[in-house]
Amino acid sequence: MASCICRGARGSPVSANRLFFFDGLFSLQIADDEKGHDLDLFCVPRHYENDLDKVIIPHGLIMDRTERLARDIIRDMGGHHIVALCVLKGGYKFFADLLDYIKALNQNSDKSVPLTVDFIRVKSYCNDKSTNNVKVIGGDELSNLSGKDIVETGRTMQTLLSLLSECNPKMVKVVSLLVKRTPRSSGYRPDYIGFEVPDAFLVGYALDYNEYFRDLS
Ligand code: IMP
Ligand code: MG
């Protein structure tokens, strides 16, 4: 189970999931009135049982959507070498699963994309609030594909993109598993989006609250 709504977090929980078309980009919408799934239907670690509200995106759905994102990326990259840059820590699960799907496509189709990886650590959050202070650590090489966990205001990604642009990469594409619908958004949208989610605090699948819940699959 993945991406649970955290108890006491702001925003209203969310009904029908549907594909959404925005500026030429598809994403899967988790509606604002989505009821989610009862925690008792899934295997939640005992130490988190009292801290979670509900399961908003089951793990299987994340995997199925990620598989499709991999297919879209391979289609668009047209054989160019990809330096895949993982934005740690929250992006590590999504990055690993996305790359596994890209590798599977490389192994099993006539068309394949050469791939190298790099990692960068970005920190902008204090408790459950996005701050203006974006810290970036690591990353030796410039990337043309960046794997991100969640975009809320978009500030973290915009800061990272302006740093990357100083090195004149041939192309930069951003893949984010989640984009939050929030009035705090700067309007920034990644090139590939897994899901658009309500304005609530989500944890699990490497997304944390003060470093907790990364161990919630
Ligand atoms: P932004 O700069 O406001 O777009 O914030 C993006 C970063 O804030 C993400 O990379 C996460 O680290 C963190 N973040 C934003 N929303 C959530 C959430 O719902 N759960 C966990 N982390 C979040
Ligand atoms: Mg965090």
Side-chain angles (χ1 to χ4, degrees), residues 10 122 124-125 130-131 134 148-157 180 200-203 207-209:
R10 60 177 178 252
V122 175
S124 65
Y125 238 63
S130 179
T131 69
V134 181
K148 178 94 176 67
D149 55 346
I150 182 164
V151 170
E152 186 180 14
T153 62
R155 213 155 31 215
T156 308
M157 205 59 230
K180 212 179 269 189
F201 200 77
L202 307 182
V203 292
L207 269 75
D208 74 308
Y209 175 79

Side-chain angles (χ1 to χ4, degrees), residues 9-213:
R10 60 177 178 252
S12 57
V14 207
S15 77
N17 297 336
R18 58 194 185 275
L19 269 181
F20 188 66
F21 191 75
F22 184 95
D23 280 354
L25 301 173
F26 278 113
S27 68
L28 201 156
Q29 294 285 304
I30 308 290
D32 286 334
D33 58 354
E34 170 67 52
K35 291 185 177 53
H37 306 280
D38 198 294
L39 291 170
D40 292 338
L41 298 170
F42 298 90
C43 297
V44 177
R46 270 274 149 86
H47 56 280
Y48 289 143
E49 268 176 2
N50 297 326
D51 302 317
L52 301 168
D53 190 11
K54 62 189 175 186
V55 175
I56 191 93
I57 315 176
H59 186 258
L61 184 57
I62 293 186
M63 297 304 281
D64 290 349
R65 180 75 189 118
T66 302
E67 183 176 20
R68 177 54 194 256
L69 288 173
R71 198 172 96 181
D72 293 348
I73 290 163
I74 289 273
R75 179 200 60 207
D76 297 349
M77 286 297 159
H80 289 290
H81 172 209
I82 300 177
V83 181
L85 180 71
C86 175
V87 184
L88 294 170
K89 297 178 185 175
Y92 92 88
K93 281 289 294 170
F94 175 52
F95 184 79
D97 288 334
L98 181 67
L99 258 56
D100 279 350
Y101 282 121
I102 291 178
K103 284 188 297 187
L105 286 170
N106 273 342
Q107 281 159 213
N108 297 304
S109 65
D110 296 335
K111 200 172 151 186
S112 78
V113 175
L115 191 70
T116 53
V117 296
D118 201 357
F119 299 86
I120 198 163
R121 177 145 180 227
V122 175
K123 199 166 169 23
S124 65
Y125 238 63
C126 186
N127 296 327
D128 66 347
K129 296 275 181 309
S130 179
T131 69
N132 283 318
N133 186 8
V134 181
K135 287 190 196 124
V136 181
I137 310 159
D140 321 321
E141 250 191 291
L142 250 252
S143 88
N144 54 13
L145 178 71
S146 171
K148 178 94 176 67
D149 55 346
I150 182 164
V151 170
E152 186 180 14
T153 62
R155 213 155 31 215
T156 308
M157 205 59 230
Q158 283 171 313
T159 304
L160 186 53
L161 283 172
S162 76
L163 279 173
L164 293 175
S165 71
E166 284 168 18
C167 308
N168 301 316
K170 281 200 194 98
M171 189 203 302
V172 179
K173 295 281 182 197
V174 178
V175 195
S176 184
L177 177 66
L178 306 171
V179 168
K180 212 179 269 189
R181 279 187 303 273
T182 169
R184 296 179 301 286
S185 168
S186 65
Y188 167 74
R189 289 180 66 82
D191 301 284
Y192 302 90
I193 300 170
F195 301 86
E196 290 191 51
V197 295
D199 193 5
F201 200 77
L202 307 182
V203 292
Y205 197 68
L207 269 75
D208 74 308
Y209 175 79
N210 280 345
E211 297 303 324
Y212 289 101
F213 303 107

